[in-house]
Amino acid sequence: FISCLCLVNNFEQSPLRRTFKSKVLAHYPDNVEWNPFDQDAVGMLCMPKGLAFRTQVDSREPQFHSFIITREDGSRTYGFALTFFEEVTSKQICSAMQTLYHMHNAEQYDILHTPTSPKGPEDLHRYHSQPRPVLHAAPSISRLQRFNSYDISRDTLYVSKCICLITPMAFPQACRKVLQQLHQAVACPQPPPLPLESYIYNILYEVPLPPSGRSLKFSGVYGPVVCQRPSTFELPLFDFAISEMFNLLGVENVLQLFTCALLEMQILLYSQHYQRLMSVAESITALMFPFQWQHVYVPILPASLLHFLDAPVPYLMGLHSNGQDDRTKLELPQEANLCFVDIDNHFIELPEELPQFPNKLEFIQEISEVLVSFGLSPEGNIPSSDSQTKYRSFRSVDMVSDKRNGNLASPLHSYLLKENETIARLQALVKRTGLEVKEDPSSYKDPRLQCDEEELKMHNSNIHIREVFANRFTQMFADYEVFVIQPSQDKESWFTNRDQMQNFDKASFLSDQPEPYLPFLSRFLETQMFASFIDSKILCHDDEDKEHTLRVFDARVDKIRMLNVRTPTLRTSMYQRCTNIEESAIEMRVTKIDHTALHPHLLDMKIGQGRHEQGFFPRLQSDVLSTGPTSNKWAKRSAPAQWRRRDRQKQHAEHLYLDNDQREKYIQEARNLGTTIRQPKLSNLSPSVIAQTNWKFVEGLLKECRNKTKRMLVEKMGREAVELGHGEVSITGVEENTLIASLCDLLERIWSHGLQVKQGKSALWSHLETCGLVFSHQLLRKSDGGGSAMPPLKVSLIQDMRHIQNIGEIKTDVGKARAWVRLSMEKKLLSRHLKQLLSDHELTKKLYKRYAFLRCDDEKEQFLYHLLSFNAVDYFCFTNVFTTIMIPYHVVAVPSKKLGGSMFTANPWVCVSGELAETGVLQVPRNMLEITFECQNLGKLTTVQMGHDNTGLYAKWLVECVMVRNEITGHTYKFPCGRWLGKGVDDGSLERILVGELMTPTTENDERMCRTPPMQQSPGMMRRFVTISPNKLNTGQIQEGVGEAINGIVKHFHKPEKERGSLTLLLCGEFGLVWALEQVFQHGFKSPRLFKNVFIWDFLGKDCSHSETPSTAISLDENWQTRVRTFCRFMRAINSTSRNIGKDGKFQMLVCLGARDHLLHYWIALLADCPITGQMYEDTALLKDRSLVNSLIRVLQTLQDFNITLEASLVKGVGI
């Protein structure tokens, strides 16, 4: 391929530094049925920066690079290009270059004398981005000409040209040799043995594709070229040097990049070498085996397609660097979820909240040992000291922040690693394990080898590295088939409802994994690449139907199962090294060639055609290259084209177990998915095509939003149904956090789409800050408090923003945006806040281009409607994540409306406890009965300890409830009491422990009075089995109450540890274990005035006194005596506590301690047999019915299986 020129508008540079549009002059053959030629795409990618000119003083070494064209259906075509410079012979072009330089020098002369000031925002940006001119003594035009100029009389002008091979499969080593030998034939003074057409014809039509597991040798211009393909049981074909990527980035950076790629983040590679971009992109995707990158894949992004960086989808792109601008000058449309890789400077910038790859340290060590065995440094080639200095100073504040999060692997870090003894220890370890460090290939060469020693070393290192990576996935997913959900309907229905179908039991799979794996795996299971992998598994019935990748992976999984003989439930985080590396197959293929292609030969060309002219690549004769051989002599040679056509059809079939029509239909559906396959069209970049592409992005974002909200709601509602006794749990905390993080990422992509000017890494937070200035002066309406003791917080977007800004732990804009989203979701205000944010249409028009998602009104309304559905469920995604921040709380003690606290003279106090911490004692002003304080996040509130100091003339207080509100999330908890606090009244308690319930902001939860309320009323966490007065329960209802209370505790312990709610609610809350045992002891009690003067604690005290008498002790056996002594010891300890918790409080403490130490069933048996029970209970009492007591004992014995840990507030002051 040869290029011609057309000017590009980059006039600010000198003419020799400008680039010009390139054009394809010729291609052979004209068309291939199974691989249509895309002239625009090939022209862009052969010369991504365009045509270049040089003079004799510039470097003009030929440059090789490869590229890839990915079609919308995911199929790929590879290109291999060699760019070189030819002398310009056209006098017109030379004269034009001379004229351009005269104009340029004159412009520079004017600029130096009249520095202009910027006129508008765009001019201002351009003015600041270029070096400012400094006024010196005015130089003459002649002096300017001598500097960086072109003189037609003394300089030789050269122009870049390119020859390229387009192939359906990637053979970069062989293609590089072919192109280099073709160029060598042109550059050599002597003509090649045959015309160039003969060699190109041979490549096009006479060199077949080597069969699987075979090698092929064919003739180049000056020497043989060897290529080979792996067999069906080896890893798929990959001919790029993976070691080059490790050499450029180092092991740690590669693994971080690998993690980002697996989690389908936006990845931007940055280098001034095209081949480096391609090599890193291809290597990182090859290491994903058996998974495949499903999104935008453009390893070399042409200059004319830079607008595609605005794509609001996951992508892996490569951006060319001019080698002068550093990272700080690179303006990117989206950075919130971006992994930026500066290849040339050994630097990687990672997204926030990136989980660690499982067994990361052991994995790095294993890879490092492989690299060392091949003579490579695990740290790669550290760039020059200038680069290190530049990047060490780059955005130091951000780097410190990122390092604190463990999300930055900088060159400085790698450099320090190299300074210590890591490498020395690694090399010593390699020697101990018996591995041999490869020697210099020039020192020894096997005479049987048909390829270079260096090439064989590359193949062997590729095998070792790829096997180590593949082994990680075979270990992690060794049991994946157990969790694949096979569809119950036919394939047609399955395709139709694919978006609604779950193909993998994620919750069960995650529950079977080691704890350290969960942060990574929970996010990886949500990716498109994993879903596609499982889809292919479902569609393949047996080995013959399987795609090569899946067949190889399943074979390795089967081998691991046979070796380990392990059941799916026996998972451990023990690191298992790769042991099945085989080099022999590839060495055999390159030492003993299986096939030799036909040699190039003279073609039927006219006399005078194919003439050699040194230094100039000629126009080839299209008549002899346009068609292949047709005679019988070459009939067998036409097979390669048929093979390639079949390979192409197999590639298009996408491993489906379907007939051709169904396959085509599925492929068409894949093209139209709207959320997965997104490839830029490199041809026809007309405004209409660009608009159509952007419209597809808008539709894709809306569809992704609909799917995410639906998935989150189904999972969340599924878990709430489990808590009500329906079904099984299907979501974990890790999984929920993953889904919310995924939603945050989607919101960032929506807010970044079509942005006019980016003002920070987070487009969402930037918009919030901009609107904050507009809305801050507006008074937002307050929610109606409904006359309650504590009205809800007012709804304020600005106030929520300020809360996030005041959290010192969040350092970055991306982190602030995510925290704001979490807070809005927890407050059920996300849709409302975003609707308000977008209500300023003038500001939206100013910030966003016309095609942006946020300016498509219908789609925007649907988007907000989908987010509104989150209000149907309760999230604690802010409270549970930001566990160390300081939060203000407001506490109000509400006295009884009948007997108000106006005469109350004592000094009250409270102590608030949550799932994360407790406050300690807080004094409450007696005249106000409310207090606001700030403390570390308490989590979901569980209990309030409340009391007073019993001072003054009237130290008796009837408390209705205590209200506590989180001033950031607005969550209000009600802690019902309805009891007296004071000596000589009720049970004489000066202190009570109240169990709380979260209030919902509706009028249904108005405060309700308690006539004779039970102590520490709490929310109905379990279904209520009875609605009659507690004083009139019969034995059957009491038994059911005990059973329900015990069942609630059992369910609590069967949940994953991180998903368990408050055990205190199950013990002391409404219809909890304490309440259930109260009903047991109250049933059949003889005293008609039980609640006036006699309490359960009085009965227990009499039993204890009777049991301790010497006569009773003598009549009991040893085991019984031990149980009696234990019971009496607990009674004495509780009675002697310094806390004034009253008799009912003491009973509650005894039940909690008995449950903790698994003693309740012993105590029930003890109390049922005590003579005091016979005196104080009726004959019909539950405690006097032997069968009912035995049944109660059996139910309580189930608690022995669980390790019950009590909240500190329940047992404070008791040293048992």
Side-chain angles (χ1 to χ4, degrees):
F1 297 92
I2 312 170
S3 305
C4 69
L5 52 143
C6 177
L7 201 58
V8 171
N9 296 325
N10 50 351
F11 296 115
E12 66 274 5
Q13 297 184 356
S14 65
L16 279 178
R17 293 294 170 261
R18 297 174 190 173
T19 55
F20 300 79
K21 284 185 179 177
S22 60
K23 179 182 178 181
V24 176
L25 286 183
H27 63 92
Y28 314 97
D30 288 335
N31 193 33
V32 179
E33 180 186 350
W34 47 267
N35 190 12
F37 182 73
D38 190 338
Q39 180 163 312
D40 292 326
V42 172
M44 284 183 184
L45 293 170
C46 281
M47 293 183 170
K49 295 287 281 187
L51 208 64
F53 285 91
R54 297 287 183 268
T55 64
Q56 74 280 358
V57 298
D58 298 310
S59 171
R60 303 188 308 279
E61 288 297 316
Q63 297 293 326
F64 172 84
H65 78 273
S66 50
F67 60 85
I68 189 170
I69 300 173
T70 308
R71 295 182 176 83
E72 285 190 327
D73 64 357
S75 60
R76 295 178 175 182
T77 298
Y78 290 88
F80 303 94
L82 186 72
T83 305
F84 53 92
F85 284 86
E86 278 187 3
E87 183 179 342
V88 177
T89 56
S90 169
K91 297 296 182 183
Q92 291 89 343
I93 295 177
C94 294
S95 298
M97 181 61 71
Q98 180 80 73
T99 303
L100 285 174
Y101 256 103
H102 283 310
M103 294 168 60
H104 176 71
N105 290 338
E107 290 173 4
Q108 293 297 311
Y109 183 83
D110 290 342
I111 290 173
L112 288 171
H113 281 79
T114 56
T116 58
S117 59
K119 296 178 182 179
E122 293 184 3
D123 293 332
L124 180 66
H125 173 70
R126 191 177 299 133
Y127 182 78
H128 285 300
S129 64
Q130 297 178 9
R132 295 189 182 182
V134 181
L135 283 174
H136 297 293
S140 65
I141 293 183
S142 60
R143 286 177 60 193
L144 280 169
Q145 286 175 341
R146 288 196 296 272
F147 175 72
N148 190 21
S149 65
Y150 168 70
D151 188 336
I152 195 170
S153 62
R154 60 178 174 81
D155 291 327
T156 304
L157 190 64
Y158 295 87
V159 64
S160 60
K161 289 192 176 181
C162 178
I163 52 177
C164 175
L165 282 173
I166 304 293
T167 67
M169 301 181 75
F171 292 98
Q173 307 303 324
C175 291
R176 182 199 288 260
K177 288 182 179 179
V178 169
L179 294 174
Q180 287 175 339
Q181 292 188 32
L182 285 172
H183 177 258
Q184 184 184 349
V186 171
C188 186
Q190 300 298 323
L194 294 170
L196 292 182
E197 285 84 349
S198 295
Y199 299 102
I200 293 172
Y201 184 92
N202 182 251
I203 291 290
L204 290 175
Y205 302 113
E206 298 173 339
V207 176
L209 190 68
S212 296
R214 297 282 188 260
S215 56
L216 172 76
K217 182 166 73 173
F218 62 95
S219 299
V221 181
Y222 296 110
V225 180
V226 175
C227 59
Q228 54 86 32
R229 286 176 70 187
S231 63
T232 54
F233 59 85
E234 296 178 71
L235 293 174
L237 171 68
F238 187 75
D239 205 34
F240 292 86
I242 296 179
S243 57
E244 182 182 354
M245 176 179 66
F246 284 95
N247 200 38
L248 291 168
L249 295 175
V251 177
E252 187 175 350
N253 284 344
V254 167
L255 194 54
Q256 299 281 40
L257 170 60
F258 183 64
T259 305
C260 291
L262 289 172
L263 299 181
E264 295 182 339
M265 296 179 171
Q266 292 179 324
I267 298 172
L268 186 62
L269 309 176
Y270 192 59
S271 173
Q272 56 184 318
H273 303 282
Y274 294 123
Q275 186 56 23
R276 288 184 177 181
L277 294 172
M278 185 69 178
S279 178
V280 171
E282 283 291 284
S283 296
I284 209 69
T285 51
L287 294 178
M288 291 178 182
F289 172 89
F291 307 102
Q292 297 174 345
W293 181 261
Q294 300 288 319
H295 300 277
V296 174
Y297 184 69
V298 190
I300 297 175
L301 187 66
S304 57
L305 283 181
L306 291 183
H307 65 275
F308 213 80
L309 290 171
D310 191 23
V313 293
Y315 61 68
L316 201 167
M317 298 195 206
L319 186 62
H320 185 262
S321 160
N322 60 14
Q324 298 171 356
D325 295 341
D326 62 16
R327 169 71 177 89
T328 56
K329 294 182 181 178
L330 190 63
E331 289 292 334
L332 300 172
Q334 304 181 51
E335 294 187 66
N337 201 40
L338 180 71
C339 172
F340 180 83
V341 184
D342 189 336
I343 298 172
D344 301 336
N345 290 288
H346 202 87
F347 176 81
I348 182 169
E349 187 178 334
L350 299 167
E352 295 184 20
E353 300 180 12
L354 182 70
Q356 186 167 290
F357 191 80
N359 297 113
K360 178 183 173 183
L361 296 179
E362 295 93 334
F363 192 28
I364 285 178
Q365 182 172 346
E366 185 177 11
I367 301 166
S368 299
E369 289 177 15
V370 171
L371 294 174
V372 170
S373 71
F374 283 94
L376 302 169
S377 168
E379 297 302 318
N381 282 337
I382 302 295
S384 65
S385 57
D386 291 342
S387 298
Q388 285 189 53
T389 304
K390 177 175 70 174
Y391 277 87
R392 208 170 286 152
S393 62
F394 161 66
R395 301 176 86 172
S396 56
V397 176
D398 288 347
M399 287 177 66
V400 169
S401 169
D402 285 344
K403 274 186 175 294
R404 190 180 299 115
N405 296 329
N407 282 346
L408 191 66
S410 65
L412 177 60
H413 179 57
S414 298
Y415 181 76
L416 292 174
L417 271 178
K418 196 166 186 178
E419 284 297 301
N420 65 23
E421 299 177 354
T422 303
I423 304 301
R425 291 203 307 271
L426 210 49
Q427 289 173 337
L429 183 59
V430 168
K431 289 180 181 178
R432 287 202 301 274
T433 55
L435 290 171
E436 181 181 353
V437 177
K438 307 291 183 187
E439 296 180 2
D440 183 3
S442 61
S443 61
Y444 169 75
K445 178 169 170 53
D446 188 339
R448 298 174 301 162
L449 278 180
Q450 301 293 317
C451 67
D452 297 336
E453 185 82 17
E454 197 63 35
E455 189 175 338
L456 177 61
K457 177 183 175 183
M458 183 272 290
H459 287 307
N460 283 334
S461 64
N462 274 8
I463 290 173
H464 278 259
I465 295 169
R466 293 177 71 196
E467 289 287 1
V468 169
F469 275 80
N471 178 63
R472 281 291 80 227
F473 288 120
T474 53
Q475 298 289 348
M476 282 194 285
F477 293 97
D479 306 308
Y480 84 99
E481 290 178 271
V482 177
F483 303 97
V484 174
I485 302 173
Q486 293 292 343
S488 56
Q489 67 271 58
D490 59 275
K491 289 283 191 296
E492 189 69 27
S493 303
W494 188 81
F495 282 138
T496 305
N497 303 303
R498 176 64 196 90
D499 284 346
Q500 285 76 40
M501 301 297 293
Q502 286 293 325
N503 60 4
F504 193 74
D505 187 355
K506 297 172 185 175
S508 299
F509 178 80
L510 290 174
S511 67
D512 194 31
Q513 301 305 309
E515 184 78 16
Y517 289 14
L518 295 182
F520 170 81
L521 284 178
S522 61
R523 291 180 62 172
F524 180 66
L525 298 189
E526 298 296 325
T527 60
Q528 185 65 40
M529 73 174 70
F530 184 77
S532 298
F533 172 76
I534 299 299
D535 282 351
S536 68
K537 180 69 177 176
I538 291 173
L539 291 167
C540 297
H541 290 270
D542 50 49
D543 282 348
E544 292 182 4
D545 303 322
K546 289 181 182 177
E547 180 198 28
H548 174 230
T549 299
L550 184 61
R551 187 164 56 247
V552 172
F553 182 71
D554 282 352
R556 287 158 187 261
V557 164
D558 292 341
K559 185 176 179 181
I560 282 183
R561 283 178 177 164
M562 286 195 317
L563 290 175
N564 294 354
V565 195
R566 183 185 61 200
T567 60
T569 54
L570 298 178
R571 300 290 291 167
T572 69
S573 57
M574 183 181 298
Y575 189 82
Q576 295 174 312
R577 287 172 165 266
C578 179
T579 57
N580 59 338
I581 300 175
E582 288 288 342
E583 294 181 359
S584 56
I586 193 167
E587 289 188 6
M588 189 178 299
R589 286 197 292 271
V590 296
T591 52
K592 183 183 178 183
I593 300 299
D594 298 296
H595 303 280
T596 302
L598 188 70
H599 285 273
H601 51 87
L602 279 172
L603 302 175
D604 187 13
M605 297 171 62
K606 296 176 182 177
I607 297 175
Q609 290 184 341
R611 184 175 298 168
H612 174 75
E613 187 176 357
Q614 183 184 359
F616 294 91
F617 198 91
R619 269 292 184 104
L620 301 174
Q621 304 306 311
S622 59
D623 54 340
V624 297
L625 295 177
S626 59
T627 57
T630 55
S631 64
N632 290 334
K633 178 182 177 182
W634 304 104
K636 292 183 179 179
R637 298 296 177 183
S638 65
Q642 296 174 7
W643 295 353
R644 281 182 272 198
R645 191 176 299 112
R646 282 201 299 270
D647 278 351
R648 196 68 175 178
Q649 289 168 350
K650 283 181 69 177
Q651 189 176 355
H652 274 288
E654 294 196 356
H655 61 261
L656 302 180
Y657 184 66
L658 306 163
D659 58 38
N660 289 331
D661 292 338
Q662 287 177 308
R663 283 184 178 134
E664 192 58 38
K665 178 183 176 183
Y666 179 69
I667 292 167
Q668 191 61 39
E669 288 176 352
R671 291 174 182 166
N672 298 330
L673 273 177
T675 56
T676 55
I677 300 172
R678 280 270 175 261
Q679 286 303 134
K681 290 184 177 180
L682 302 185
S683 57
N684 187 15
L685 292 174
S686 62
S688 61
V689 171
I690 294 175
Q692 183 182 7
T693 303
N694 280 312
W695 182 246
K696 286 183 178 179
F697 285 145
V698 170
E699 290 179 329
L701 287 170
L702 183 60
K703 183 173 183 180
E704 189 177 354
C705 176
R706 181 173 64 248
N707 291 339
K708 283 190 187 299
T709 51
K710 181 178 179 181
R711 167 82 197 282
M712 292 172 71
L713 285 170
V714 169
E715 297 284 12
K716 188 71 176 176
M717 288 178 168
R719 190 171 83 167
E720 291 179 353
V722 169
E723 291 179 349
L724 295 172
H726 308 293
E728 295 183 359
V729 68
S730 61
I731 186 170
T732 65
V734 174
E735 195 173 357
E736 179 181 299
N737 201 36
T738 297
L739 294 173
I740 293 171
S742 176
L743 177 69
C744 293
D745 170 44
L746 172 64
L747 293 177
E748 283 290 359
R749 285 190 277 122
I750 287 175
W751 254 257
S752 298
H753 184 233
L755 195 61
Q756 295 272 20
V757 180
K758 189 169 69 69
Q759 297 179 340
K761 280 195 173 184
S762 170
L764 176 57
W765 187 253
S766 175
H767 196 170
L768 282 166
E769 289 187 317
T770 305
C771 286
L773 300 175
V774 178
F775 294 149
S776 58
H777 66 279
Q778 298 177 3
L779 183 64
L780 302 175
R781 74 175 184 86
K782 293 186 179 182
S783 300
D784 183 15
S788 65
M790 184 180 287
L793 291 173
K794 67 177 183 179
V795 176
S796 171
L797 181 151
I798 301 304
Q799 192 59 45
D800 288 347
M801 268 189 64
R802 288 174 180 162
H803 284 316
I804 302 301
Q805 288 171 327
N806 292 334
I807 299 175
E809 288 85 347
I810 306 175
K811 307 293 184 185
T812 64
D813 287 353
V814 176
K816 290 174 183 175
R818 293 187 175 191
W820 182 85
V821 170
R822 289 176 178 275
L823 177 59
S824 300
M825 285 188 70
E826 187 162 326
K827 297 179 79 168
K828 301 188 178 183
L829 293 173
L830 181 61
S831 180
R832 180 170 174 176
H833 277 347
L834 293 180
K835 185 174 183 178
Q836 182 187 353
L837 187 65
L838 299 171
S839 63
D840 190 336
H841 299 292
E842 291 302 317
L843 179 62
T844 306
K845 287 182 181 179
K846 181 180 176 182
L847 292 177
Y848 289 92
K849 300 170 185 172
R850 182 63 194 90
Y851 64 79
F853 181 92
L854 295 179
R855 290 191 61 185
C856 300
D857 292 336
D858 290 344
E859 285 69 26
K860 182 175 67 177
E861 287 301 318
Q862 292 182 59
F863 159 71
L864 293 172
Y865 177 76
H866 289 314
L867 295 184
L868 188 62
S869 60
F870 286 133
N871 292 5
V873 292
D874 295 321
Y875 280 103
F876 288 87
C877 49
F878 180 85
T879 301
N880 291 340
V881 168
F882 299 98
T883 56
T884 60
I885 63 173
M886 300 299 288
I887 290 182
Y889 292 90
H890 185 65
V891 179
V892 176
V894 183
S896 170
K897 292 178 181 178
K898 289 183 178 179
L899 300 168
S902 57
M903 299 171 58
F904 180 55
T905 58
N907 298 301
W909 57 266
V910 294
C911 175
V912 183
S913 299
E915 292 181 351
L916 300 176
E918 74 170 31
T919 61
V921 174
L922 301 169
Q923 298 298 326
V924 181
R926 184 175 61 226
N927 54 345
M928 295 180 64
L929 297 181
E930 61 182 286
I931 182 176
T932 300
F933 61 92
E934 188 176 73
C935 69
Q936 187 169 308
N937 185 1
L938 300 175
K940 296 179 189 176
L941 302 187
T942 53
T943 62
V944 164
Q945 301 166 61
M946 184 181 188
H948 61 77
D949 60 0
N950 197 36
T951 59
L953 296 175
Y954 190 75
K956 296 176 180 145
W957 192 21
L958 179 59
V959 180
E960 180 66 28
C961 66
V962 175
M963 310 287 287
V964 184
R965 184 174 67 201
N966 182 318
E967 296 291 278
I968 291 182
T969 65
H971 286 322
T972 303
Y973 293 83
K974 183 178 181 180
F975 295 85
C977 180
R979 303 288 294 271
W980 284 92
L981 282 87
K983 292 290 187 182
V985 63
D986 207 330
D987 64 345
S989 174
L990 297 180
E991 173 186 342
R992 295 200 184 277
I993 302 171
L994 312 180
V995 181
E997 60 181 321
L998 178 63
M999 305 287 290
T1000 52
T1002 62
T1003 55
E1004 297 173 359
N1005 289 292
D1006 287 339
E1007 296 169 292
R1008 52 193 173 86
M1009 297 297 295
C1010 306
R1011 281 181 307 180
T1012 52
M1015 189 179 74
Q1016 296 98 34
Q1017 201 173 39
S1018 69
M1021 294 296 291
M1022 299 163 288
R1023 60 188 177 89
R1024 301 185 178 188
F1025 59 90
V1026 66
T1027 55
I1028 63 175
S1029 171
N1031 289 329
K1032 298 180 181 179
L1033 296 182
N1034 58 41
T1035 54
Q1037 292 167 335
I1038 293 173
Q1039 281 185 296
E1040 187 177 352
V1042 175
E1044 287 289 343
I1046 297 296
N1047 194 35
I1049 296 173
V1050 172
K1051 285 184 177 180
H1052 170 88
F1053 283 102
H1054 276 93
K1055 293 180 182 179
E1057 187 172 352
K1058 292 185 178 180
E1059 303 310 310
R1060 298 171 184 172
S1062 171
L1063 183 61
T1064 303
L1065 291 174
L1066 302 175
L1067 292 172
C1068 308
E1070 186 177 25
F1071 306 119
L1073 182 61
V1074 173
W1075 171 86
L1077 292 180
E1078 275 183 350
Q1079 310 314 309
V1080 170
F1081 285 107
Q1082 287 174 4
H1083 184 262
F1085 204 81
K1086 286 182 178 179
S1087 171
R1089 299 171 60 82
L1090 176 65
F1091 288 108
K1092 297 296 182 181
N1093 54 6
V1094 181
F1095 293 87
I1096 297 173
W1097 190 255
D1098 297 325
F1099 161 65
L1100 297 177
K1102 290 183 178 181
D1103 271 354
C1104 179
S1105 301
H1106 177 269
S1107 300
E1108 286 186 305
T1109 58
S1111 59
T1112 305
I1114 293 172
S1115 63
L1116 300 175
D1117 63 36
E1118 188 174 344
N1119 287 336
W1120 204 258
Q1121 289 181 18
T1122 303
R1123 293 169 189 173
V1124 168
R1125 285 195 295 270
T1126 303
F1127 174 71
C1128 294
R1129 181 165 60 89
F1130 275 76
M1131 290 288 295
R1132 285 194 301 271
I1134 293 171
N1135 271 323
S1136 61
T1137 180
S1138 59
R1139 296 175 67 184
N1140 296 297
I1141 55 177
K1143 294 178 180 179
D1144 284 347
K1146 291 176 181 179
F1147 174 74
Q1148 174 179 282
M1149 187 178 288
L1150 180 69
V1151 172
C1152 291
L1153 289 171
R1156 182 195 70 182
D1157 295 346
H1158 308 132
L1159 297 172
L1160 287 179
H1161 58 287
Y1162 293 135
W1163 293 348
I1164 291 292
L1166 180 71
L1167 294 170
D1169 287 345
C1170 183
I1172 300 298
T1173 305
Q1175 299 171 14
M1176 300 186 68
Y1177 282 86
E1178 303 284 353
D1179 292 339
T1180 58
L1182 188 150
L1183 281 177
K1184 297 184 74 172
D1185 187 321
R1186 176 56 60 182
S1187 62
L1188 293 179
V1189 170
N1190 289 337
S1191 175
L1192 177 62
I1193 290 172
R1194 284 194 298 273
V1195 171
L1196 291 174
Q1197 281 176 330
T1198 59
L1199 296 180
Q1200 287 183 288
D1201 299 331
F1202 309 112
N1203 182 22
I1204 295 176
T1205 303
L1206 299 177
E1207 196 173 306
S1209 60
L1210 297 179
V1211 292
K1212 190 183 294 182
V1214 178
I1216 295 183

